[in-house]
């Protein structure tokens, strides 16, 4: 990577951190989408970076959020998501080794789906969904987390429909994503796929994630969440199309 690539990468990290801290999700998809769009680093390496930075972001953001956590709510999707992460990592090892172009196509499709879910207006449910539904949505999120370190779309859609306070939803997402990141990093490291490039990029981005997360949590008003969602939608739409269109052309060629 050139110094321009590193500057672009840090800019992508800043945007992803801001989106994640304000909404509780989208860090991985924004970072993966933008770095893929600019071809800054290989997708598996950036996925490892996302896992490490997601964990850092969650630990900083949850530092003073103990009053907005409910472990009875967290446990069912956590069970499903951790099992899904294992399946996702196994699938990643097969896809990245035999069809890297397919991986970019799947990522582009996932990012577009997340963008659509982000702006889709859904009616809040009258009561909290069943434990089984949380396990199922957690499992689907876990598979995406294992593949791309981006477990957001399914669980975000499910949780934001629940009749629950926004801080509780946001912090529940942070706990789930951080747990996914720990399991994914353990599996990837055990398989020998956690290389020096991922570690250096993570160290480079670490001060941005910690500093910006702290600043946003302390000074930014919660009323600007809707504005942030619109910004994230535009970023995801551009990144998703930027990955999906070239990959589709190459697959059909």
């Amino acid at each position: 990577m050139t110094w321009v690539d590193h500057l672009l990468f840090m800019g992508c990290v800043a945007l992803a951190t801001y989106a994640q801290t304000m909404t509780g999700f989208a860090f991985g998809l924004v970072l993966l989408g933008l770095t893929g769009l600019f071809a800054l680093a290989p997708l598996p390496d950036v996925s490892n970076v996302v896992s490490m930075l997601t964990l850092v972001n969650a630990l900083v953001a949850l530092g003073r959020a103990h009053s907005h956590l409910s472990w009875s709510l967290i446990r069912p999707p956590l069970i499903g998501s951790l099992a899904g992460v294992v399946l996702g990592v196994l699938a990643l090892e097969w896809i990245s080794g035999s069809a890297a172009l397919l991986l970019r196509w799947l990522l582009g499709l996932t990012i577009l789906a997340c963008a659509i879910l982000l702006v889709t207006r859904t009616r809040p449910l009258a009561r909290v969904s069943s434990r089984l539904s949380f396990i199922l949505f957690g499992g689907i999120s876990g598979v995406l987390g294992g593949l791309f370190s981006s477990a957001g779309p399914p669980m975000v859609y499910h949780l934001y429909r629940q009749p629950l306070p926004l801080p509780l939803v946001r912090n529940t997402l942070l706990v789930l994503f951080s747990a996914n990141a720990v399991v994914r990093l353990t599996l990837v490291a055990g398989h020998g796929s956690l290389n020096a490039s991922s570690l250096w990029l993570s160290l480079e981005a670490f001060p941005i994630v910690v500093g910006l997360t702290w600043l946003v949590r302390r000074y930014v008003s919660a009323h600007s969440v809707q504005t942030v969602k619109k910004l994230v939608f535009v970023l995801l739409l551009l990144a998703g199309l930027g990955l999906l269109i070239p990959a589709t052309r190459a697959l059909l060629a």
Side-chain angles (χ1 to χ4, degrees):
M1 292 174 65
T2 66
W3 66 270
V4 175
D5 291 335
H6 283 282
L7 288 177
L8 283 172
F9 174 74
M10 288 187 285
C12 294
V13 170
L15 285 172
T17 301
Y18 182 68
Q20 171 84 8
T21 307
M22 289 296 295
T23 65
F25 68 102
F27 179 85
L29 289 177
V30 171
L31 186 56
L32 279 167
L34 292 178
T35 54
L37 187 62
F38 295 120
L40 298 178
L43 191 55
D45 288 351
V46 180
S47 295
N48 293 337
V49 173
V50 168
S51 290
M52 288 183 271
L53 297 182
T54 295
L55 186 57
V56 171
N57 176 274
L59 292 176
V60 175
L62 289 169
R64 298 182 180 180
H66 301 294
S67 60
H68 296 296
L69 289 175
S70 171
W71 289 104
S72 62
L73 176 68
I74 292 172
R75 286 191 194 97
L78 183 62
I79 292 170
S81 67
L82 295 184
V85 168
V86 177
L87 294 176
V89 170
L90 293 175
L92 175 66
E93 294 297 333
W94 176 79
I95 293 174
S96 62
S98 58
L101 190 61
L102 177 61
L103 189 64
R104 291 178 64 85
W105 186 87
L106 287 173
L107 176 59
L109 188 64
T110 301
I111 291 173
L112 282 181
C114 182
I116 293 170
L117 288 178
L118 190 63
V119 296
T120 301
R121 293 185 178 274
T122 55
R123 290 184 179 180
L125 299 174
R127 58 182 179 180
V128 177
S129 300
S130 66
R131 289 172 58 89
L132 179 59
S133 70
F134 276 93
I135 293 173
L136 290 175
F137 274 91
I140 298 171
S141 288
V143 171
L144 292 178
L147 277 170
F148 307 121
S149 284
S150 301
M155 205 64 233
V156 166
Y157 174 78
H158 192 55
L159 269 175
Y160 270 95
R161 294 186 67 207
Q162 306 300 319
L164 298 168
L166 182 59
L168 179 59
V169 170
R170 184 175 58 197
N171 291 326
T172 298
L173 289 170
L174 288 172
V175 170
L176 292 175
F177 298 161
S178 61
N180 285 351
V182 170
V183 173
R184 187 184 188 282
L185 285 172
T186 301
L187 293 173
V188 169
H191 195 268
S193 300
L194 190 61
N195 55 34
S197 176
S198 298
L199 294 174
W200 282 115
L201 286 174
S202 298
L203 288 174
E204 181 178 300
F206 178 82
I208 299 173
V209 174
V210 174
L212 192 56
T213 299
W214 182 83
L215 287 172
V216 171
R217 281 283 190 171
R218 185 174 180 86
Y219 295 110
V220 176
S221 169
H223 297 295
S224 58
V225 170
Q226 292 303 320
T227 303
V228 174
K229 282 187 176 182
K230 293 177 182 177
L231 171 63
V232 173
F233 168 73
V234 173
L235 290 174
L236 292 178
L237 189 64
L238 293 174
L241 290 174
L243 290 170
L244 190 61
I245 293 174
T248 302
R249 288 175 177 172
L251 288 171
L252 294 177

